[in-house]
Amino acid sequence: MSDTFFSGAPHWTWFIIPYFFVGGLAGGACFLAVVLDWFGGPEDRPVVRTGYYVAATGAILSGLLLTIDLGQPLRFWHMLFQSANFPAIMFKAWSPISFGAWAILLFGLFSVLSALGAMSEEGRLQAPAFRVLHRGALAKIVAGLAGLLGFFVAGYTGVLLSVTNRPIWADSPWLGALFLASGASTGAAALILLAPRRGATEQSLRWLSTFDSRALVVELLVLVLFLVSLGAINRVWLSFWGLLLVVGVVGLGILLPLRLHAQRRPVASAAKLVLVGGFLLRLATMLASEGISRFRVAAGM
Amino acid sequence: MPEPMGFFTDTTVCIGCKACEVACKEWNQLPAANGGLGELSGDSYDNTRRLDGIHWRHVRFIEQFKGPYDGRWLMMSDVCKHCVQAGCLEVCPTGAIIRTQFDTVVIQSDVCNGCRACIAACPFGVIDINPVSATAQKCTLCYDRLQVGLEPACSKACPTDSIQFGTITELRARAHKRVDQLRAQGVQAQLYGAEPDGPLGGLNSFYLLVDKPEVYGLPAHPQLPTRTLGRSATLTTASAAVLGLLALVGLRKRRMEEVAADSSGAPPLPPSSHV
């Protein structure tokens, strides 16, 4: 038996699972928006703006979900500053949860600035001060930082789970890569669904669809490597969560969308399935490990 | 600076009286589980079942019975191991978990915000949330008593000296002597966590066992949670690079197709209508 089976479950469930999904989606969408902002053309601007809106909304929602999940929500700032020595910074580079708290804060800051720039670009904010947020070098740097931090947020959630002593999570180093690939595919899917309302062009949507297919292939490969790395631990998947992983994540969330993309069917259907698969991936990986505590208690451990 | 202090628990003399559990609860004013209503496990005399936020001591009953006349009880008073290299302290993002001058590990309840990272990090499943404070809690090795020169409540209450308190150096010497004594009697005794060059740099609460650690609910090779950090971060970064490259390659391909279409005089694509 793996030594991870002797640890206790942290009860990261109904706020953390949506946070992992929303954070991954927002980070992936922001990264793609930045790629198009930096290297795309004028025809990509609607997708870029949508990406920044999704990122800002997702970052704020992520922060709220994380705060609500705390036992003492009003002490959320203890993760950022030393409570007994304010305003000294609280930061541990070797602790993903500490690193992540700062990453979400900064991702929120830069993505909101980029979203304000997008609003200014659309004429919804008239003040000249906001123009620097969608034109020129400063806007590109702010967006670039948002994109990098967004991609970090999408991936660190998996690393955070690996840096524990819990079954499944700590038994493989692939969870970060898996969540990142899923964040990229769900981010692309969210943009495919939301960007047409802002006038996204056929070129942008086709690029998103192509990227989504490739990200799904990467996700599938990483998922296989993740399962292979688990070795004998894979027995834990002989449960409802294993069924959900195979049918919901692999079948509905990866293979079916890939087939739809390949057949050039309406991409909205594929995108919706990708979002469902991304959520189920977090649900299955979280609850498969959380549920092991039941056996632990039953065994008097 | 005081010497490192801790517990040596000799499981061979534990009688399962649970005086340590009661003394711990009383001294630390820990609430009753389930509002004080008794909840029986139904298959064991062990009704506490596990360590958590309101049970900082747990007398584990291991009932090894093959038949009505063939069996034995193993009993062990379990507690936080106060690891020399503590996973909980390592990951705590608020700085609530500290190492004291006695080399013990303590959670400051007024600093903890209940993020629960330490619960998943502990290889022994020691920490959990105390529902009253809504923060993570565990044994403090009676930090308040130690500061005024008192012995921890549990070891003070132990009627058989199964739980012994003292300096780690002294406890290790005593533990090795006891192992030798038991082995001379034909008992397969072994120490768990007593060696400073062992897992986690040694445990400041270590045990004398007469069966495999797993039988007592202890991992054979406890490890720090950060053991996967390097590999996990590297693979995630590599995956980010691959995805970034795929995005740029897709954009480059689209540009090439546009250039080819422009040179062949094909009309530009219309705005989206198929989604």
Side-chain angles (χ1 to χ4, degrees):
Chain A
M1 183 163 53
S2 167
D3 286 319
T4 54
F5 282 78
F6 296 87
S7 59
H11 328 297
W12 285 332
T13 51
W14 301 117
F15 291 118
I16 297 298
I17 294 167
Y19 156 60
F20 280 5
F21 174 68
V22 170
L25 182 154
C30 190
F31 180 77
L32 294 173
V34 171
V35 168
L36 289 179
D37 192 357
W38 278 39
F39 304 105
E43 71 276 17
D44 296 315
R45 295 308 299 175
V47 172
V48 172
R49 292 194 295 271
T50 310
Y52 294 151
Y53 293 143
V54 169
T57 311
I60 292 167
L61 193 58
S62 294
L64 286 174
L65 286 166
L66 272 178
T67 304
I68 294 168
D69 184 69
L70 295 173
Q72 292 280 359
L74 293 178
R75 296 184 191 166
F76 72 94
W77 62 275
H78 288 197
M79 286 185 171
L80 304 168
F81 299 98
Q82 295 176 22
S83 56
N85 198 20
F86 186 84
I89 297 294
M90 185 65 224
F91 178 69
K92 289 180 176 177
W94 58 89
S95 169
I97 198 163
S98 174
F99 216 113
W102 277 102
I104 291 162
L105 182 77
L106 296 173
F107 174 46
L109 173 71
F110 289 116
S111 60
V112 165
L113 288 175
S114 292
L116 290 173
M119 289 174 81
S120 171
E121 188 179 338
E122 287 180 343
R124 293 158 69 192
L125 285 177
Q126 300 296 336
F130 291 113
R131 284 183 202 147
V132 293
L133 294 171
H134 73 88
R135 281 187 207 153
L138 181 66
K140 297 275 186 210
I141 291 168
V142 167
L145 288 170
L148 283 176
L149 287 161
F151 230 26
F152 179 89
V153 168
Y156 102 93
T157 49
V159 178
L160 184 155
L161 293 180
S162 288
V163 182
T164 62
N165 261 308
R166 290 297 297 154
I168 303 176
W169 307 344
D171 290 312
S172 169
W174 284 99
L175 259 185
L178 181 62
F179 280 16
L180 182 76
S182 172
S185 65
T186 51
L191 292 179
I192 287 169
L193 289 172
L194 296 173
R197 292 179 201 171
R198 305 204 163 272
T201 60
E202 188 74 22
Q203 293 101 311
S204 301
L205 290 173
R206 194 188 296 162
W207 176 79
L208 281 172
S209 175
T210 307
F211 176 81
D212 199 22
S213 302
R214 290 172 179 173
L216 285 172
V217 171
V218 172
E219 187 181 340
L220 186 61
L221 284 173
V222 175
L223 181 59
V224 170
L225 290 167
F226 166 64
L227 293 175
V228 168
S229 68
L230 286 179
I233 310 289
N234 275 308
R235 275 182 296 178
V236 298
W237 293 116
L238 296 173
S239 64
F240 172 74
W241 308 117
L243 186 70
L244 199 67
L245 189 76
V246 173
V247 177
V249 179
V250 178
L252 285 178
I254 298 178
L255 294 178
L256 193 54
L258 275 175
R259 189 177 161 86
L260 289 173
H261 278 310
Q263 291 175 343
R264 304 212 175 261
R265 301 279 284 276
V267 287
S269 313
K272 285 174 188 165
L273 286 169
V274 168
L275 291 181
V276 171
F279 182 78
L280 293 181
L281 173 70
R282 271 70 170 192
L283 189 78
T285 45
M286 295 295 283
L287 294 186
S289 182
E290 286 279 349
I292 287 168
S293 65
R294 290 165 186 262
F295 300 112
R296 186 172 170 273
V297 172
M301 290 164 61
Chain B
M1 193 76 173
E3 268 196 80
M5 310 292 275
F7 292 126
F8 160 48
T9 304
D10 180 351
T11 63
T12 60
V13 291
C14 178
I15 55 171
C17 70
K18 305 187 189 180
C20 52
E21 279 194 28
V22 176
C24 175
K25 279 234 170 202
E26 286 211 333
W27 180 259
N28 294 297
Q29 300 183 332
L30 296 175
N34 198 26
L37 294 172
E39 192 176 295
L40 303 180
S41 57
D43 60 353
S44 167
Y45 286 104
D46 177 359
N47 293 312
T48 306
R49 306 300 281 177
R50 55 175 298 212
L51 291 167
D52 59 33
I54 56 171
H55 297 99
W56 299 354
R57 267 278 173 196
H58 164 221
V59 180
R60 189 183 294 277
F61 282 50
I62 299 128
E63 289 127 340
Q64 295 179 323
F65 285 90
K66 293 173 188 162
Y69 306 106
D70 180 16
R72 66 173 176 176
W73 262 294
L74 299 177
M75 289 157 190
M76 182 188 84
S77 181
D78 198 9
V79 73
C80 170
K81 315 300 178 287
H82 295 276
C83 314
V84 174
Q85 294 164 15
C88 58
L89 191 154
E90 198 175 39
V91 300
C92 174
T94 62
I97 305 183
I98 55 162
R99 184 167 296 284
T100 71
Q101 66 270 39
F102 304 105
D103 203 25
T104 57
V105 180
V106 169
I107 303 177
Q108 304 172 96
S109 200
D110 60 330
V111 179
C112 174
N113 65 11
C115 76
R116 309 189 292 284
C118 54
I119 300 175
C122 173
F124 305 101
V126 162
I127 311 173
D128 210 339
I129 292 291
N130 179 330
V132 176
S133 66
T135 59
Q137 292 196 351
K138 68 167 190 71
C139 160
T140 65
L141 217 141
C142 282
Y143 186 40
D144 49 352
R145 291 174 65 96
L146 259 59
Q147 284 173 302
V148 293
L150 292 175
E151 179 181 358
C154 55
S155 58
K156 184 81 178 170
C158 180
T160 63
D161 262 353
S162 172
I163 305 169
Q164 298 177 36
F165 169 76
T167 66
I168 295 298
T169 317
E170 183 195 335
L171 290 176
R172 278 184 187 144
R174 210 181 293 171
H176 284 293
K177 198 172 161 188
R178 174 69 176 152
V179 167
D180 292 343
Q181 187 187 36
L182 287 167
R183 284 186 180 167
Q185 294 169 6
V187 179
Q188 293 298 311
Q190 58 170 315
L191 293 178
Y192 179 84
E195 303 309 322
D197 53 354
L200 308 176
L203 309 177
N204 283 344
S205 174
F206 59 93
Y207 299 83
L208 186 153
L209 310 176
V210 292
D211 208 329
K212 289 186 292 186
E214 293 94 326
V215 171
Y216 294 87
L218 298 167
H221 307 287
Q223 296 180 78
L224 284 172
T226 44
R227 68 187 180 280
T228 46
L229 180 60
R231 278 182 300 152
S232 191
T234 306
L235 291 171
T236 309
T237 309
S239 146
V242 168
L243 289 162
L245 206 63
L246 288 174
L248 290 175
V249 166
L251 214 50
R252 169 88 180 154
K253 195 178 167 207
R254 188 185 80 177
R255 186 71 46 80
M256 299 299 281
E257 284 170 1
E258 282 169 4
V259 170
D262 284 348
S263 60
S264 66
L269 287 167
S272 164
S273 59
H274 77 300
V275 177

